[in-house]
Amino acid sequence: MFAKLEGLEKKFIELEHSLAEPDVFNDQEHYRKLTKAHADLREIVEMYRRHRALLQEQAENKQLLRDEDPEMRALAQEDLHRIEAELPEVEQELKLLLLPKDPLDEKNTILEIRAGTGGEEAALFAADLFRMYSRFAEIKGWKVELMSESPSDSGGFKEVICLISGTKVYSQLKFEAGTHRVQRVPATEAQGRIHTSAATVAVMPEAEEVDVEIRPEDLRIDIYRASGAGGQHVNKTESAVRITHLPTNTVVTCQDERSQHKNKARAMKVLASRILAAERERYNSEISADRKSQVGSGDRSERIRTYNFPQGRCTDHRINLTLYSLERIMEGEIQPLVEALSTAAQADALKAAATD
C-alpha cells in the first residue's frame, strides 16, 4: 500500500511542477486536465503525508520516553496515546481512498420513478418519492429538470423522469435504484386499512456523446400528436416524439414540450443514459453472475426499502438499517441513508480487496 502511496505522491509533485510552467498554462485544455488530475490526488496525498508525520511524531516521542525529566516523559506518553488513537483512523481512510473510483460518480443523474403494484396509491407514492428526491436535491444545491411525466387520475405519477445536475450527483443517488415499498392508509380508504404499494426507481448517469455512440441509422423516430392536458396545441401540433433504438429495442417518448425539437433533444438524452446504464449493467453482470437488475418487476416483495407510515419508520433492507424519522426523510432528509449505504459499499469493497 505504501509503495503505491509513494508513487502517487511523486506523481502529485510532478503535476505541481507542470502546472507552474508558463507553456502549460497557455494550452488551456491541457491545463484543465492537469488541474483535475492534481485535484484528484490532493486528498490522498495530504492523508499520506499526515500518516508519515504521525509516524515521525511517534518515533520522536518514543525517544523522549527515555528522557531523564519525568515531566517530559509524561508529555511524551500523552502524545503517544493521541498518535496511537489517530493512526488506525488515518490508515483506514487511506485504504478507502485507494479503492478504485467509480468513473461515473461525478456525473449528473437521470432519475426515473414509476408506479408499481398498488394502483392509484402506487402512483401517489411515486409522486411522494419524486418530491423527496427533489427536496434532497434542493438541500444539496442541485438543479432538477423535469424531462417527462405521465400523471395519474389521482394527482400522482404513473411515470416521472427528471435530470438532476450538480456536484457528484450520481455518487449520492446510485444506491437509490430499486423497488421502494410503502405501507400506509390511502386517502381513498374508507375503513382505515393499511395498504402496501410499491414504486420503482431507476438511477442512470447522464450519458455524454463520448460515453455512448448512437448511430442515426439505428434509430426510428416517430412524430405524433401529444395527448392529455396542455391546451389547444395538444390536438393540433405534432410535437410528441418517440425514439426507438433498434439494436437494443429501447423506446423513449417525450411530449411535455410544445417544440418537437425540444422533445427530441430530451428523448435523446434519456435514450443515451438508458443505453449507458444497460451497458454498465451488462458489465457488472459479467463480473457478478448473481447480480440482479436495479429495478426489478415493481412487485411489493422485491423491495430495497420500506416506508411504514403508521410506525413512522423507514427501513433499508440491504443494510438492515431502520430510522424512525420518516417525516423528515419524506421531506428530503435522506443523507443518513445515503451515507450508510455508501459506507456499507466501501466496507464490501475493502473486504473484496483484502481477498484479492
Side-chain angles (χ1 to χ4, degrees):
M1 179 175 86
F2 292 106
K4 184 174 184 179
L5 288 166
E6 285 177 17
L8 291 175
E9 184 183 34
K10 183 179 178 182
K11 184 178 179 182
F12 183 77
I13 293 168
E14 289 171 356
L15 286 167
E16 281 186 326
H17 291 155
S18 296
L19 286 167
E21 294 175 6
D23 291 344
V24 171
F25 184 76
N26 292 334
D27 184 347
Q28 282 297 297
E29 186 176 350
H30 184 49
Y31 180 77
R32 277 194 296 271
K33 287 180 181 178
L34 291 181
T35 301
K36 186 180 185 308
H38 183 265
D40 289 343
L41 287 175
R42 179 184 295 279
E43 186 178 8
I44 192 167
V45 169
E46 287 179 351
M47 190 64 64
Y48 173 52
R49 289 173 175 173
R50 176 61 185 154
H51 183 268
R52 194 166 54 203
L54 284 171
L55 290 178
Q56 180 66 29
E57 281 186 73
Q58 186 182 51
E60 291 170 356
N61 279 287
K62 282 181 178 178
Q63 289 279 1
L64 289 173
L65 287 177
R66 295 195 286 269
D67 197 280
E68 294 180 1
D69 185 348
E71 188 175 338
M72 185 64 74
R73 291 200 302 272
L75 286 171
Q77 189 63 61
E78 187 179 325
D79 272 354
L80 275 173
H81 286 318
R82 172 185 59 79
I83 292 164
E84 286 165 4
E86 189 178 348
L87 265 174
E89 295 177 3
V90 173
E91 287 174 3
Q92 178 69 6
E93 187 63 30
L94 280 171
K95 289 176 183 176
L96 290 174
L97 289 169
L98 279 171
L99 288 174
K101 297 286 190 296
D102 187 336
L104 302 177
D105 275 353
E106 303 280 341
K107 289 188 174 290
N108 298 329
T109 294
I110 289 181
L111 194 70
E112 297 186 352
I113 304 172
R114 293 183 180 86
T117 308
E120 285 297 323
E121 168 61 8
L124 289 171
F125 180 50
D128 290 338
L129 288 177
F130 176 64
R131 182 178 182 276
M132 179 184 80
Y133 290 122
S134 297
R135 288 284 295 115
F136 180 59
E138 186 181 330
I139 292 167
K140 302 289 288 187
W142 299 336
K143 177 186 175 186
V144 178
E145 178 188 348
L146 186 64
M147 301 189 74
S148 176
E149 60 178 320
S150 179
S152 70
D153 295 336
S154 59
F157 287 118
K158 297 174 188 174
E159 176 188 88
V160 58
I161 303 174
C162 67
L163 170 65
I164 303 180
S165 309
T167 304
K168 293 187 175 180
V169 179
Y170 186 70
S171 71
Q172 297 277 293
L173 292 179
K174 61 184 176 182
F175 299 115
E176 294 301 301
T179 298
H180 296 240
R181 183 177 69 170
V182 63
Q183 295 172 325
R184 64 184 176 187
V185 179
T188 54
E189 172 58 54
Q191 298 181 19
R193 292 176 298 184
I194 297 172
H195 287 225
T196 301
S197 305
T200 62
V201 176
V203 181
M204 301 175 295
E206 182 189 17
E208 299 172 23
E209 288 185 16
V210 293
D211 298 321
V212 179
E213 181 186 2
I214 300 177
R215 300 183 303 173
E217 58 267 31
D218 288 340
L219 300 177
R220 186 178 70 236
I221 301 176
D222 301 310
I223 309 299
Y224 59 100
R225 291 183 181 179
S227 60
Q232 291 183 345
H233 82 282
V234 166
N235 297 319
K236 293 184 178 180
T237 308
E238 291 192 339
S239 59
V241 175
R242 181 190 301 110
I243 301 178
T244 304
H245 184 246
L246 300 173
T248 60
N249 200 32
T250 304
V251 181
V252 178
T253 61
C254 189
Q255 64 175 29
D256 293 352
E257 294 286 346
R258 292 172 181 264
S259 162
Q260 180 189 125
H261 297 294
K262 287 183 179 179
N263 280 328
K264 183 180 176 183
R266 284 187 169 186
M268 283 297 295
K269 185 172 287 191
V270 174
L271 177 67
S273 294
R274 284 186 184 173
I275 292 171
L276 176 63
E279 288 178 359
R280 179 181 173 87
E281 190 66 25
R282 277 196 297 275
Y283 170 77
N284 288 333
S285 296
E286 287 173 7
I287 61 174
S288 177
D290 60 347
R291 182 181 172 90
K292 293 182 179 179
S293 64
Q294 64 168 325
V295 170
S297 67
D299 184 78
R300 286 183 290 252
S301 63
E302 295 182 359
R303 82 282 190 210
I304 61 164
R305 191 178 295 157
T306 295
Y307 304 75
N308 185 296
F309 279 74
Q311 297 178 18
R313 65 174 169 83
C314 180
T315 300
D316 196 290
H317 305 287
R318 296 164 293 180
I319 54 175
N320 295 319
L321 173 66
T322 296
L323 300 176
Y324 288 89
S325 54
L326 182 58
E327 188 175 336
R328 294 202 302 274
I329 287 169
M330 298 310 295
E331 287 297 320
E333 296 181 28
I334 64 171
Q335 192 65 41
L337 288 164
V338 169
E339 289 178 359
L341 287 161
S342 180
T343 300
Q346 289 175 339
D348 287 345
L350 283 173
K351 197 180 297 182
T355 57
D356 285 346

